[in-house]
Amino acid sequence: MANVTGNTTTNSPRGVGSLIPIEISLWTGIEAILIVIGMIILGRILRKLIIRKSKETTLTWIINEDTADIVFRMFVLGGMIWALYVIGVMNYQIGSTSVGNIAFAVGFFYFAYLIAKKSKDYLIMSAGKKPSSDVQVKAKIFYYTFITIAFFLALSFAGISAELSALLAAAGITGIILGFSAQTVVANFISGIFMYFDKPLNIGDQVKIGELEGIVEDIRILSTRIRAWDGTLIRIPNEKLFNSNIINLQRYPARRVEIEIGIAYSADTEKAIEVIKKTLNEMPLVLAEPGPVVFVKELGDSAVVLSIRAWAPSERWFDVRTEAVSRIKKALDEAGIEIPFPQRVNWFANELRVKVDKES
């Protein structure tokens, strides 16, 4: 029979884990409980102090209720680990490491995750209500970089450095295999990085990509999401987006409105141009510099085609164009300038003869 001390045995194989005899006396148990209670009380006190301080300082991005909760959790977890050390549980060996090392590594990674998430949220919130894609991409890169570093540090703290080297080697081989089997994912990822430095578009921009047109909703590592004018969501892989012709309709503050309208050949062209210019000058959203331009573009089959060009704020381009078309039509009607229907003149090479039936 195995010798039993406390709740553990002493004849376990070393390869699986060395069980250390644990003798828990009454005083040891009371000490462990007092440590946990004391750390909880201390954590609550610090939490209240941080929340009170957050109402008096301008550094609310770091001294706030979220920070107070993180500090409280750190004290609670630290108290539990300390108590387990006092009891002796943390000395239990698992392979080449111990329970204490693993517990410290898990706690370290957990709080690193909380700090990384809080920092990412702060970077995004500090940019305003509508953060640019540049800010969001930077925040995500910082978050994933911080988490990755914390993960490998946690493995090191856990005391499995030898296993870590084997893990990295396996990860490298796995990465090569996945690289060949997931070329599209890798291409989208690399294209996303290139787009970050190229910056052809930002969140909130009105864009046209091939036959697709809408507003950029989100730019992610592998894809970009666009909300079309009909309210549907379009997901475009970054590789396809990077290799496409991207027309950014809102990159610059002003955008040109182009309208073509035909008037009758019998109409006074100069008068029509003056009427149109006057109409555009009366519109508050039409820019005075550069001013509107109206000229005869061509002599069409049924009308003299006038080309109208005016500049407007990019975010109000559609409103200006629709209003300009409506006002110009009304102004030409009031001036007696005809906008003709399409007309055709039929010409016959020989004399046209028509037979008339008298009875009918």
Side-chain angles (χ1 to χ4, degrees):
M1 294 294 291
N3 295 327
V4 179
T5 305
N7 295 326
T8 62
T9 61
T10 60
N11 62 341
S12 291
R14 292 289 294 182
V16 177
S18 300
L19 297 181
I20 299 176
I22 301 175
E23 296 182 359
I24 304 176
S25 64
L26 179 61
W27 168 246
T28 302
I30 295 175
E31 183 181 1
I33 295 174
L34 290 176
I35 289 174
V36 174
I37 294 175
M39 294 298 284
I40 291 175
I41 295 174
L42 186 58
R44 288 183 177 276
I45 293 174
L46 287 177
R47 182 178 183 277
K48 291 181 179 180
L49 289 176
I50 293 174
I51 293 176
R52 185 182 304 171
K53 189 66 177 178
S54 66
K55 299 177 182 179
E56 304 172 356
T57 181
T58 57
L59 302 176
T60 54
W61 65 273
I62 190 172
I63 303 177
N64 51 40
E65 189 171 349
D66 292 336
T67 304
D69 289 336
I70 293 176
V71 171
F72 175 73
R73 294 177 190 178
M74 289 179 64
F75 272 84
V76 173
L77 183 60
M80 295 175 64
I81 293 176
W82 187 4
L84 291 176
Y85 265 115
V86 170
I87 295 174
V89 175
M90 292 301 185
N91 296 324
Y92 180 81
Q93 295 293 316
I94 301 178
S96 61
T97 185
S98 65
V99 174
N101 291 338
I102 296 176
F104 177 77
V106 172
F108 171 81
F109 181 76
Y110 173 68
F111 288 109
Y113 161 75
L114 294 179
I115 293 173
K117 186 175 183 299
K118 179 178 175 61
S119 301
K120 183 191 72 171
D121 295 340
Y122 165 71
L123 289 174
I124 295 176
M125 289 188 299
S126 62
K129 295 183 178 179
K130 293 184 178 180
S132 63
S133 59
D134 187 23
V135 172
Q136 294 208 17
V137 171
K138 284 182 179 179
K140 291 176 182 178
I141 290 176
F142 170 81
Y143 173 76
Y144 288 115
T145 303
F146 194 95
I147 287 295
T148 302
I149 295 175
F151 173 74
F152 286 108
L153 285 176
L155 291 180
S156 178
F157 293 151
I160 52 175
S161 56
E163 290 81 351
L164 178 60
S165 300
L167 179 63
L168 291 175
I173 297 174
T174 304
I176 295 174
I177 297 174
L178 292 177
F180 285 106
S181 61
Q183 295 182 14
T184 303
V185 175
V186 175
N188 288 330
F189 176 77
I190 295 175
S191 298
I193 295 176
F194 287 159
M195 287 185 59
Y196 167 71
F197 291 104
D198 190 32
K199 295 181 177 63
L201 43 80
N202 293 315
I203 294 177
D205 286 350
Q206 299 177 11
V207 297
K208 184 176 182 181
I209 304 169
E211 297 180 354
L212 305 176
E213 188 173 348
I215 299 176
V216 179
E217 285 285 314
D218 192 12
I219 301 175
R220 301 189 179 182
I221 298 297
L222 300 179
S223 64
T224 298
R225 286 160 170 73
I226 295 177
R227 178 168 58 86
W229 300 126
D230 59 358
T232 57
L233 178 66
I234 303 174
R235 177 188 176 276
I236 305 177
N238 283 337
E239 181 188 14
K240 181 178 180 181
L241 183 66
F242 186 74
N243 294 322
S244 301
N245 293 327
I246 301 175
I247 302 176
N248 195 321
L249 305 176
Q250 205 173 338
R251 170 55 61 90
Y252 302 110
R255 183 181 169 193
R256 191 171 69 184
V257 175
E258 296 186 6
I259 303 171
E260 291 186 0
I261 190 169
I263 63 174
Y265 273 92
S266 59
D268 186 343
T269 304
E270 296 298 328
K271 180 180 179 182
I273 292 176
E274 291 179 2
V275 170
I276 294 174
K277 283 186 175 181
K278 180 181 178 182
T279 302
L280 294 174
N281 290 331
E282 292 175 352
M283 295 179 60
L285 291 178
V286 173
L287 301 183
E289 184 62 36
V293 176
V294 184
F295 58 91
V296 177
K297 181 179 180 181
E298 62 181 356
L299 301 177
D301 295 336
S302 306
V304 177
V305 180
L306 301 181
S307 181
I308 305 167
R309 297 179 180 178
W311 290 84
S314 296
E315 66 273 10
R316 301 297 299 274
W317 179 89
F318 182 77
D319 297 335
V320 172
R321 191 184 189 284
T322 53
E323 184 180 355
V325 172
S326 177
R327 288 197 180 196
I328 290 172
K329 171 64 169 63
K330 182 178 180 181
L332 292 177
D333 289 343
E334 293 176 352
I337 299 173
E338 179 186 359
I339 301 177
F341 292 103
Q343 300 178 13
R344 292 291 183 270
V345 176
N346 296 325
W347 178 82
F348 298 91
N350 299 320
E351 182 180 355
L352 183 62
R353 295 181 180 182
V354 180
K355 181 178 179 181
V356 179
D357 189 352
K358 294 182 179 181
E359 293 181 359
S360 59

